[in-house]
C-alpha cells in the first residue's frame, strides 16, 4: 500500500513525524509531501496565481511552498509518478479539528483533496489542553491511530467521504474508547480581533482565540462530546454539501 502524508503545520512540525510513524505501521511505501511553512487555517485553498517551489528534504520527503491542497496534488500527480497513492493521511495536527474548525482547517483540506482525487483519505488531529499545549500527548495518536485506520479501511471508505479523526487530550491509558460521531457546533464567541500598533504607530490586526468563561455543553453524539468524554472521535464527512431537506422545501416554494 502506497501512502501519501501531508499536513498544514509545515514540513518540520512534530505531528508530521507522528503521522509518518502511523503510516509506517501500515506500509513501508510512505511518502511525505508537506508545506514549506505553516499553513494552518488556509482551508482548501489552491495556488493558482503563484508558482509552487518544490524542495527535496530527504528520501521520499518533499517540501512545497504552497498549501496542503497543493501538496496532495503535487504528490499524487507529480512526485509519485504514474503510481497514485492508495491512501492519504493528513496530520497529525497540533490541536483538534472539530465542529466549525473543519471549514478553516488545512489538515481537513489535505484529506479532502485526497478524497476528490478518488483516494481514501483521513485527517488526523491531536487535541491538547492548556496543560499539554506545549507538549501534546502524541503517544495517544500513535497508540490508537494504526489499528483504527486498519479497521476503517477494512470497512471500506465510501468514494466521496473523508474520515476526520480526533484524539483526546489525555494519556493513552486514559482514553475511554472510540466513538463514531457527527460534526458538532459550538459558541463562536471564542473568536476575537486583536488590534495592535507597529513601530510607526500604524494599526495592524490579529484574528485570534480566547478561552470562554463557560463553554456550552456539547450535544450528545458530536465530535465535541466525544473528546470531552475522552473518546477518540471518528467523523465521516461527505464532499457533497447539498442540503437535501431545504432543497425539497425550496423546490416547492419556487414552483
Amino acid at each position: 500500500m502506497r501512502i501519501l502524508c501531508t499536513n498544514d503545520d509545515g514540513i518540520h512540525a512534530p505531528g508530521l513525524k507522528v503521522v509518518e510513524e502511523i503510516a509506517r505501521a501500515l506500509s513501508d511505501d510512505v511518502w511525505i509531501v508537506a508545506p514549506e511553512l505553516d499553513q494552518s487555517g488556509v482551508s482548501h485553498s489552491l495556488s493558482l496565481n503563484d508558482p509552487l517551489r518544490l524542495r527535496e528534504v530527504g528520501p521520499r520527503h518533499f517540501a512545497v511552498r504552497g498549501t496542503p491542497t497543493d501538496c496532495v496534488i503535487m504528490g499524487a500527480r507529480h512526485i509519485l509518478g504514474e503510481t497514485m497513492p492508495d491512501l492519504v493521511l493528513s496530520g497529525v495536527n497540533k490541536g483538534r479539528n472539530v465542529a466549525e474548525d473543519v471549514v478553516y482547517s488545512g489538515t481537513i483540506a489535505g484529506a479532502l483533496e485526497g478524497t476528490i482525487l478518488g483516494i481514501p483519505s483521513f485527517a488526523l488531529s491531536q487535541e491538547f489542553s492548556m496543560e499539554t499545549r506545549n507538549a501534546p500527548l502524541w503517544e495517544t495518536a500513535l497508540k490508537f491511530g494504526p489499528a483504527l485506520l486498519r479497521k476503517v479501511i477494512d470497512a471500506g471508505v465510501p468514494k466521496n467521504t473523508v474520515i476526520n479523526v480526533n484524539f483526546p487530550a489525555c494519556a493513552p491509558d486514559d482514553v475511554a474508547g472510540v466513538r463514531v460521531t457527527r460534526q458538532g457546533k459550538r459558541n463562536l464567541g471564542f473568536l476575537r480581533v486583536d488590534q495592535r500598533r507597529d513601530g510607526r504607530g500604524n494599526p495592524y490586526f490579529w484574528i485570534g482565540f480566547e478561552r470562554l468563561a463557560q463553554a456550552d455543553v456539547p450535544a450528545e453524539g458530536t465530535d465535541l462530546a466525544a473528546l470531552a468524554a475522552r473518546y477518540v472521535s471518528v467523523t465521516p464527512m461527505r464532499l457533497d454539501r447539498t442540503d437535501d431537506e431545504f432543497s425539497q422545501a425550496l423546490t416547492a416554494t419556487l414552483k
Side-chain angles (χ1 to χ4, degrees):
M1 177 167 58
R2 174 167 278 197
I3 303 177
L4 173 61
C5 298
T6 193
N7 72 351
D8 71 352
D9 290 330
I11 191 68
H12 299 298
L16 189 62
K17 295 182 177 66
V18 178
V19 82
E20 181 177 359
E21 192 169 337
I22 291 172
R24 293 196 182 283
L26 305 176
S27 172
D28 58 2
D29 190 1
V30 177
W31 297 73
I32 309 298
V33 184
E36 183 80 63
L37 305 172
D38 190 334
Q39 296 289 311
S40 298
V42 300
S43 189
H44 204 161
S45 57
L46 175 66
S47 297
L48 295 177
N49 297 312
D50 298 304
L52 300 178
R53 306 292 182 181
L54 178 66
R55 182 170 66 94
E56 186 172 1
V57 297
R60 296 188 180 183
H61 287 66
F62 298 85
V64 175
R65 191 168 286 270
T67 69
T69 301
D70 297 329
C71 291
V72 172
I73 293 172
M74 285 290 288
R77 297 294 193 187
H78 177 69
I79 297 170
L80 272 64
E82 296 182 358
T83 305
M84 291 278 282
D86 302 296
L87 182 69
V88 170
L89 302 182
S90 184
V92 174
N93 190 69
K94 181 184 176 182
R96 65 187 186 178
N97 276 305
V98 294
E100 293 82 5
D101 297 340
V102 304
V103 178
Y104 306 111
S105 169
T107 302
I108 300 290
L112 283 172
E113 189 59 35
T115 302
I116 289 173
L117 294 175
I119 306 164
S121 301
F122 293 75
L124 307 172
S125 302
Q126 176 63 61
E127 182 185 41
F128 61 78
S129 62
M130 295 302 293
E131 293 73 25
T132 62
R133 180 180 181 87
N134 295 322
L137 299 169
W138 300 115
E139 57 267 29
T140 301
L142 284 170
K143 178 177 180 178
F144 289 92
L148 189 154
L149 293 179
R150 287 192 191 98
K151 289 181 180 180
V152 177
I153 292 168
D154 289 344
V157 180
K159 193 169 185 178
N160 293 314
T161 298
V162 62
I163 308 298
N164 183 27
V165 180
N166 283 271
F167 303 98
C170 62
D173 291 344
D174 295 327
V175 173
V178 178
R179 283 181 176 173
V180 178
T181 60
R182 68 181 188 275
Q183 183 182 341
K185 183 173 176 56
R186 66 180 168 220
N187 182 352
L188 286 181
F190 70 99
L191 283 172
R192 63 181 171 82
V193 176
D194 185 7
Q195 180 176 345
R196 303 181 186 183
R197 293 191 177 273
D198 63 21
R200 297 181 177 181
N202 298 315
Y204 68 95
F205 304 87
W206 284 105
I207 293 178
F209 306 91
E210 59 188 356
R211 199 172 185 181
L212 296 176
Q214 182 174 358
D216 295 339
V217 176
E220 191 62 34
T222 63
D223 44 19
L224 291 165
L227 291 180
R230 294 188 170 182
Y231 282 85
V232 178
S233 169
V234 181
T235 311
M237 301 188 303
R238 297 188 62 184
L239 292 179
D240 183 359
R241 299 183 182 183
T242 305
D243 186 333
D244 292 323
E245 183 178 347
F246 186 62
S247 291
Q248 295 176 7
L250 195 59
T251 298
T253 300
L254 298 178
K255 279 185 178 178

